[in-house]
Every structure is written in structure tokens, then in C-alpha cells.
Amino acid sequence: MASARVGVVGATGAVGTILTRMLLDRGYDGLRLFASARSAGKELHGIRIEEATPDALAAGGLDVALFSVGTSNSRELVPHAVRGGTVCVDKSAAFRLEDGIPLVVPEVNGERALEHDGIVANPNCCTIPLTCVLKPLHDAVGLVRVRVSTYQSVSGAGAQAMERLRAESQADHDLRMDWDFDGEEFDEESKLREETRKIMELPGLPVSATCVRVPVLVGHAESVWIETEEPLSPEQARQILAAAPSVRLEDFPSPGKAAGEDEVLVGRIRPDRSVDGGNALALFLACDNLRKGAALNGIQITELLLDRVAA
């Protein structure tokens, strides 16, 4: 797989730089990097950056391209790459909820990646860790309802947002809600609900989300409350999650502990005492949103695709 022809589109962004570094660390040679005209001609990790134009991407020469360029740019560029014979793994919201396009977390529904027609969507950076935790619990006892509050780092808004936080005085730090608002909820909240339903293949699952941005550079955290069909004790939940792929038990998960890690940290697993009957739990999780929340998940999808080519 290391000799596969892989491209990163948006290589100079917050996620793109992590993607590039992780692919190089995995031994991928022949990596091609694409970015805007502003970055074209420069070098990143000794690789010359090409301009991400429709013609350049339609020219082919790639087995898989990972896109981290935002929704509008993905809608413009991805179809040209597909036309050139490249399978596209897209990080943006452009294709996630479209019928016929797989939305994939490899630990949850990896087999769906192989059902693509040229595009595989990489989920939201909060949906990925959430479904990694929900899937094994659902398989064990069935989910009835999910409530989640997110505490998302500024890196989820891009490299410029990170620079703004670094330049900001501590006195100016505050929670933000910097997503599109329809008068009732933010699009980030509806994404989290609909993406979770699609990935888990539970279209009727009640999911209520409240999302906020916190003054943290890297690492998203989530408070999660679940109701289940069958009783589930905290001890049973810990056993289930300890055996789950890409999940690590941690007494007190935090963005700082998750930063630089490739696993979803989960802890504070306890009864939800607002619900009678022993069929409800509360838990807390944290994840590096640039790694497992974005780059690593895309690489795992890529490797599923390349495994099929190699077979």
C-alpha cells in the first residue's frame, strides 16, 4: 500500500498537514500534495505542492485523494477528480448525507466504504468519536435515545482560528457558537444527529445535540447520555468499551490527554439518575479532532479502499 498513488488536497490546512505527516510516517512514497494557488510551488516535507485546479485533478494519476478543503471547494473539485478515475475521501460536509455515498467510520461500518461510486465521505469530527463509543454499546443492549453536548476546540474551525486564539488575551476567552443557525439549532447539531443515524443505520434514533466551541487549541470533548433497551451497568459498559476498537478507558478524559493520540478516550461512566430502571448511563469522551476526528479516520478509509485494490 505504501507505493499506492495517494494525494492530499488541502495539504497546507490544519487537517491537511496532519494527514500529510501521518501518511509519510506510514511509509507512503509518491505522495502528491495539492493546495490553493497561494501555496502552489512551495514545499511541504520536501514535496512540491501543486495547485488544486479542476484540470489538475481530472488528469488522474491517483488511486485515492483525501480532500480537506471545505464544503464549497469539495463540491467544485471532487467531481473532477472522480472523472479522472480517482476515488475521493472527502472530509467536508459536501457529500456526507447524500444518498448512495457511504459515510464511514471504519470501526463502525467499514464495509460500507467498499460500496462507493467514486466518493466516500469522512464524518464530522464529533460524529466519529461518538459513533466509536455508541456502536459497541448499541450492539450489546440497543440504543433508545442519545443526548450529547460537545465542547469543541478551535482547530475544528481551521488554522486561522487557531492563530486567533493564540493571539487572544485570556480575558477575551469565551465560548463560541460559530456555526450556521436556522433559528432553532446550529447546522453542527443537525449534522451530528443525521450523521450518527446514517453511520449507525438507525434512521429513527432520537439524538439531541448542543454544540459549543471552547478556547482550547486541539481536542474535542463530549458529554453523552444514553438510554438503552436493556439494562446496562457502568461496569458492563466499561467492559464493552475496553474491548472496542480505537477506544481507551480513561478515568477523566480531556482534550489535553487526547491531543496527539489516535484513540477515543472515554470515562466518567455512571448511571444517569434522571432516568429510572437502570437503562440509562452518562459518560464523557475526548478525541484529537485533527487525528482520529479527521485525518486518521480518512487514512483508515483509504487503506480499506487500497486493500481491495491490492486483493
Side-chain angles (χ1 to χ4, degrees), residues 6-266:
V6 175
V8 177
V9 185
T12 58
V15 173
T17 54
I18 301 291
L19 262 173
T20 301
R21 181 71 269 167
M22 294 182 76
L23 287 164
L24 291 171
D25 288 345
R26 279 166 135 79
Y28 284 84
D29 49 26
L31 194 62
R32 291 176 63 189
L33 307 182
F34 299 83
S36 66
R38 185 175 61 254
S39 298
K42 298 177 182 178
E43 288 194 354
L44 180 64
H45 303 300
I47 303 171
R48 183 179 178 277
I49 298 171
E50 304 174 51
E51 184 177 356
T53 65
D55 287 345
L57 295 169
L62 294 171
D63 297 310
V64 179
L66 296 106
F67 281 74
S68 184
V69 293
T71 299
S72 60
N73 286 328
S74 283
R75 286 183 176 140
E76 177 191 359
L77 295 173
V78 165
H80 292 285
V82 172
R83 181 162 52 87
T86 301
V87 180
C88 299
V89 179
D90 183 60
K91 177 192 169 293
S92 80
F95 307 103
R96 290 175 185 159
L97 298 178
E98 286 196 13
D99 291 340
I101 294 181
L103 180 65
V104 175
V105 177
E107 296 86 348
V108 178
N109 65 338
E111 71 282 355
R112 296 298 185 202
L114 306 183
E115 300 172 3
H116 70 84
D117 192 23
I119 304 172
V120 181
N122 196 69
N124 180 281
C125 46
C126 282
T127 308
I128 291 169
L130 179 63
T131 55
C132 281
V133 169
L134 292 182
K135 173 63 171 174
L137 298 177
H138 174 68
D139 287 348
V141 294
L143 290 176
V144 171
R145 180 173 289 102
V146 176
R147 300 178 181 89
V148 56
S149 290
T150 73
Y151 315 94
Q152 299 176 221
S153 65
V154 297
S155 56
Q160 291 183 347
M162 297 173 73
E163 290 306 314
R164 284 195 299 271
L165 181 63
R166 290 188 179 104
E168 188 177 84
S169 70
Q170 289 187 356
D172 290 329
H173 289 347
D174 197 3
L175 299 179
R176 301 183 191 278
M177 300 183 189
D178 51 6
W179 301 282
D180 291 339
F181 186 57
D182 67 4
E184 179 175 319
E185 64 180 1
F186 293 104
D187 65 342
E188 187 80 353
E189 295 160 349
S190 61
K191 287 177 194 173
L192 188 53
R193 177 180 61 251
E194 298 306 327
E195 291 179 26
T196 297
R197 289 171 167 175
K198 182 173 179 177
I199 294 163
M200 299 279 292
E201 300 184 13
L202 297 171
L205 179 68
V207 179
S208 177
T210 299
C211 297
V212 300
R213 186 89 62 196
V214 295
V216 170
L217 277 174
V218 176
H220 290 355
E222 305 178 38
S223 292
V224 185
W225 297 262
I226 63 169
E227 294 180 39
T228 57
E229 293 176 359
E230 301 174 24
L232 179 67
S233 71
E235 293 73 20
Q236 291 171 320
R238 290 188 192 98
Q239 292 175 356
I240 292 166
L241 292 171
S246 298
V247 174
R248 189 176 88 218
L249 293 179
E250 182 80 33
D251 288 340
F252 305 108
S254 71
K257 291 177 181 176
E261 300 293 324
D262 291 340
E263 296 170 301
V264 179
L265 309 186
V266 60

